[in-house]
Amino acid sequence: MALDPQKLFALEIPEARQTYGWRDCILYALGTGYGMDPQDERQLCFVDETKLKPVPTMANILADPGLWMRDLDTGIDWVRMLHGEQSLRLHRPLPPEGEVVGRTRLVDIVDKGAGKGALIHAERVISEIGTGEVIATILQTIFCRGDGGFGGKSESKRLPHPIPERPADLSISLPTSPQAALIYRLSGDLNPLHSDPAVAREAGFDQPILHGLATHGVAGHGLMAALCDDQPERVRLVQGRFSSPVYPGETITIDIWREGQGRAAFAARVAERGVMVINNGLFEYEPAPTGQGG
């Protein structure tokens, strides 16, 4: 069945509500590599409940509607879909505990052509229940490999952020643990592709792969360390395009290009295999006060 844009735009994606606390914050932090060096005191606030600051990219997993493309009558070949891009805009620091609601809507659908797939852009706004205050806005691009050729528009409103054609201004490398995917899945994504070697081999991978949003979280970790002195309240935006999976245990190197005050382009790669894992990255942050680093 051909994808029907009008039907998709008319969908009412159920809102998602979630209550979270310090254990959820620490579990997410451990899944994105915090605490790998127990002697690094700057990371202690992300894994110690007595002085807890949530990792900003944890907002990616809050109040998620789940596999609505599978669960609702969408006509999408959900088995063949891939996570293409992720953009996280923080409007305020993430509280260490709370009750939140996520409301999701489709903002664009692009037809890449028969045999080339379709792009679906979805927006999720996460708000605090009680006050109604918006915490974060997430834009996600899903690449539906089996759904092109329905006669829709072929150009996307969203353009990838360009990477400068010069050497990076700085780079930071972060290791991932062999157990990274097994830890990260406890934050909500239980897809066996990330835990079962047999499922991973059937999908064409040598072993279970790290979740795309875990890679996004590691990139955010490196950017916050390099540009924000590990101060989460200064993070404003983390966005990028997924280009290749990471295997747990690999080291992710984030190359950073400064683009002016409070703004930087970035790309993430796995040097061991010589592959780019996130491209066209953009990071926005609150600059350090005059006279301070970061």
Side-chain angles (χ1 to χ4, degrees):
M1 184 192 317
L3 185 149
D4 185 345
Q6 289 187 338
K7 178 180 178 180
L8 286 178
F9 280 124
L11 276 179
E12 293 188 8
I13 301 171
E15 67 178 29
R17 293 178 173 239
Q18 181 178 352
T19 300
Y20 70 94
W22 66 267
R23 291 180 185 273
D24 305 287
C25 295
I26 292 175
L27 189 61
Y28 176 86
L30 293 171
T32 50
Y34 289 88
M36 289 280 288
D37 179 2
Q39 299 301 315
D40 185 351
E41 294 187 3
R42 294 202 314 176
Q43 296 188 34
L44 191 59
C45 64
F46 302 108
V47 293
D48 183 339
E49 72 281 4
T50 66
K51 55 192 72 170
L52 186 62
K53 291 184 178 181
V55 177
T57 52
M58 181 181 166
N60 278 323
I61 67 168
L62 293 179
D64 188 290
L67 283 175
W68 60 268
M69 292 187 181
R70 178 195 65 185
D71 299 335
L72 301 179
D73 182 16
T74 63
I76 295 170
D77 183 0
W78 64 270
V79 174
R80 299 183 63 191
M81 66 186 188
L82 295 172
H83 194 164
E85 298 172 304
Q86 186 80 4
S87 173
L88 168 63
R89 168 74 66 182
L90 287 155
H91 304 287
R92 51 162 288 189
L94 191 65
E97 61 180 24
E99 187 178 6
V100 293
V101 58
R103 298 182 175 91
T104 302
R105 69 185 182 98
L106 301 190
V107 295
D108 202 11
I109 300 174
V110 178
D111 185 0
K112 303 299 290 183
K116 297 181 180 179
L119 300 176
I120 294 180
H121 301 290
E123 176 192 81
R124 181 164 95 254
V125 177
I126 300 172
S127 305
E128 195 171 48
I129 293 176
T131 66
E133 186 176 0
V134 175
I135 296 173
T137 300
I138 293 168
L139 290 172
Q140 188 178 63
T141 299
I142 302 298
F143 179 32
C144 301
R145 294 181 292 168
D147 296 292
F150 55 87
K153 66 175 186 177
S154 60
E155 296 296 327
S156 175
K157 298 176 183 178
R158 291 180 56 79
L159 298 176
H161 187 73
I163 297 297
E165 295 183 2
R166 57 180 171 84
D169 296 313
L170 67 157
S171 298
I172 182 169
S173 294
L174 296 176
T176 64
S177 76
Q179 301 89 2
L182 298 176
I183 298 171
Y184 185 85
R185 71 191 298 269
L186 300 178
S187 289
D189 188 342
L190 302 177
N191 188 333
L193 176 64
H194 307 292
S195 59
D196 190 327
V199 172
R201 286 193 295 270
E202 288 177 9
F205 300 106
D206 295 335
Q207 65 183 73
I209 61 175
L210 190 61
H211 306 67
L213 285 183
T215 302
H216 189 269
V218 174
H221 176 176
L223 290 159
M224 184 170 66
L227 299 174
C228 299
D229 196 29
D230 274 323
Q231 297 172 347
E233 62 274 11
R234 292 172 55 192
V235 176
R236 297 289 179 267
L237 172 76
V238 186
Q239 75 175 42
R241 173 174 289 188
F242 299 112
S243 51
S244 187
V246 172
Y247 291 114
E250 293 183 322
T251 296
I252 299 174
T253 297
I254 302 104
D255 298 316
I256 303 168
W257 293 262
R258 297 183 186 273
E259 293 190 335
Q261 191 174 40
R263 184 180 171 97
F266 75 92
R269 55 189 167 87
V270 170
E272 295 99 321
R273 291 186 287 121
V275 298
M276 189 80 69
V277 294
I278 296 180
N279 204 354
N280 304 111
L282 175 63
F283 183 65
E284 295 179 357
Y285 59 100
E286 184 69 26
T290 303
Q292 297 185 21

